[in-house]
Amino acid sequence: MMLFKSLFKKSTLECPRCLGTTFVDWDDIHRLNRTLKWAPGPCAYCLGTGRVSKEMVAQVPVDYTYLTIDLPESEMEKIKDGDEETLEKGRIHELFLDNLIKYVENQYLNNKMGAESIANLYLTTEDETALFSLERENLVQYIEKIIELKRAELN
């Protein structure tokens, strides 16, 4: 009986995202180059178990930006199953973040604008029902973080 269990048991690996700790911290975020795209929290890649299947590693890149713990479980499953529509949504989300970061950096560096002014300008151009619309308070905090990292980069 044990022979059958061992034959059909999925082999697992230490999670390459959280390195088996079950939690993605700032070190993991920096290691995977996801600064400004992730925040520390339970690992969505292994669902906080510290282990993942070999299939997961083969199907979903460890640094896939859209796979975060705040997604509904059904969306996470679609990513793991390779659902093209969901993967495209993830690519669009990544582009959105990249473009927002560039927009903020441009306004900060070239127009000498602060976080509040950039947020106000951005929100005048953004549709409230946009796919990745942001609440003003969260947007200002995010812009402040982008500016903080840009300042550190320049010094």
Side-chain angles (χ1 to χ4, degrees), residues 15 49 76 105 116 125:
C15 178
T49 64
M76 294 170 103
E105 289 176 343
E116 292 281 338
T125 64

Side-chain angles (χ1 to χ4, degrees), residues 59-131:
Q59 292 174 303
V60 181
V62 68
D63 62 350
Y64 188 67
T65 298
Y66 190 55
L67 181 60
T68 59
I69 201 68
D70 57 347
L71 280 179
E73 196 170 325
S74 61
E75 194 90 345
M76 294 170 103
E77 285 304 315
K78 288 178 183 178
I79 292 168
K80 293 173 184 178
D81 292 341
D83 178 72
E84 277 306 313
E85 187 177 318
T86 305
L87 295 175
E88 179 62 17
K89 191 174 179 181
R91 285 188 281 278
I92 291 169
H93 179 70
E94 178 103 20
L95 275 172
F96 166 77
L97 290 175
D98 289 341
N99 288 330
L100 180 57
I101 291 165
K102 287 177 190 171
Y103 178 82
V104 169
E105 289 176 343
N106 180 54
Q107 296 303 329
Y108 171 70
L109 293 172
N110 297 326
N111 299 327
K112 310 296 185 233
M113 294 174 74
E116 292 281 338
S117 299
I118 296 170
N120 290 338
L121 180 61
Y122 177 79
L123 290 171
T124 62
T125 64
E126 188 65 24
D127 184 357
E128 288 181 20
T129 60
L131 185 58

